[in-house]
Structure formats: structure tokens, C-alpha cells
Amino acid sequence: MIAKWRWNDGADPTAGVSTCFANVGGRDGVGLTLSRNVTRLSQSLSICPYNVKCHAAGSMADNNARGAAFMFQDQASSVGSNSTSGSIAVSFRYLQPAKCHQAFAKYWHTWQETAVTGIGVGPYSLSVEWNSHDERWTRAGNAGNNGKC
């Protein structure tokens, strides 16, 4: 299963006019959870800077039989962001292939002094811990499935 994101505007107006990249707040996070336990084979996070090749990034925040989550530092300049787009992927072997498998994804964004400090992966859910209640937002993707639902 793969969840992808793409910013509507690659440049961050809070980064000023410099072409040097600067951190945008603290760490951001992204997670993918599944509706059923699976035997996970691998997980990865790729971020794609503005007009540059995608690359592996981030650090594992949580992983279990339901999915995986990563945290990463986003940066921006007048020319764009280091995470204009990206994807989180979890590959797995079905334990119950005849059953419906759904996937749910969330992205957590911070700015100023706010940071994601923890992420949890659970059945049908992803949870996040922040160091502040300001300068943050969460976006959830539509549910995906394996086509047998």
C-alpha cells in the first residue's frame, strides 16, 4: 500500500527570499495504517524536493503488524520545499487474502516552534503527539483498499 502527498505550492512564504533551505518548524510526520494485521515485509518514506529526484528520508516513529509511521524535518526556501511531494509505502504479505484490507494515511505538518514528538500506529488509526497546540495541522487521506472490499 502506498500513500502519496503533493503540496499545492512548493515554496513556503515563511522562508523568505533566500535560496538556502531553512527548517520549517520542527519535525513533520506521516503514517499509514491497515485495517487488519499483516506480515510486513518492508516500509519506506520518500520525499521529493522541488525539481529534484526523490530520496529516502525520515526516521521510523512506529511500526507494527498494522502499519508504519515516520518523522522527518521539512525545509523550505524561496525556490521550494525539500518535501514538495512524497510517499509512504508498506509492503506486506496477506495473512487473510480473501478478506478486505483497507489503508488509512495521515500527514502532520508543523511550523514555528511546534514539532511532532511521537506517532502511534493502531488498528484503523494513527495518533500523534505534539510539543505545542499552535502552528500545526493534520490532513487525512481517503481510505484505500485491496479491491476485495
Side-chain angles (χ1 to χ4, degrees):
M1 296 275 190
I2 298 174
K4 298 178 180 183
W5 77 85
R6 180 168 195 73
W7 287 89
N8 291 333
D9 181 3
D12 186 331
T14 64
V17 295
S18 173
T19 57
C20 296
F21 280 90
N23 289 351
V24 178
R27 292 186 295 180
D28 284 6
V30 63
L32 180 68
T33 185
L34 302 164
S35 60
R36 296 184 179 278
N37 286 346
V38 295
T39 300
R40 283 189 318 103
L41 303 174
S42 66
Q43 62 284 322
S44 64
L45 172 67
S46 293
I47 61 174
C48 309
Y50 178 76
N51 280 342
V52 181
K53 267 186 154 176
C54 299
H55 62 276
S59 59
M60 182 79 64
D62 193 13
N63 68 43
N64 57 47
R66 291 294 181 129
F70 291 85
M71 289 190 280
F72 65 97
Q73 180 62 57
D74 62 326
Q75 298 179 323
S77 74
S78 61
V79 297
S81 167
N82 73 331
S83 55
T84 299
S85 62
S87 63
I88 180 173
V90 175
S91 64
F92 56 91
R93 184 174 340 135
Y94 290 121
L95 291 180
Q96 300 169 324
K99 301 282 185 169
C100 174
H101 287 74
Q102 288 187 296
F104 305 89
K106 283 188 182 176
Y107 184 105
W108 301 278
H109 178 63
T110 67
W111 62 95
Q112 301 295 341
E113 302 301 317
T114 302
V116 170
T117 57
I119 302 172
V121 176
Y124 294 97
S125 66
L126 295 157
S127 61
V128 66
E129 295 175 4
W130 314 83
N131 68 343
S132 170
H133 293 288
D134 300 319
E135 292 95 25
R136 65 188 177 128
W137 57 249
T138 300
R139 293 295 182 266
N142 292 325
N145 64 63
N146 64 345
K148 297 178 182 180
C149 300

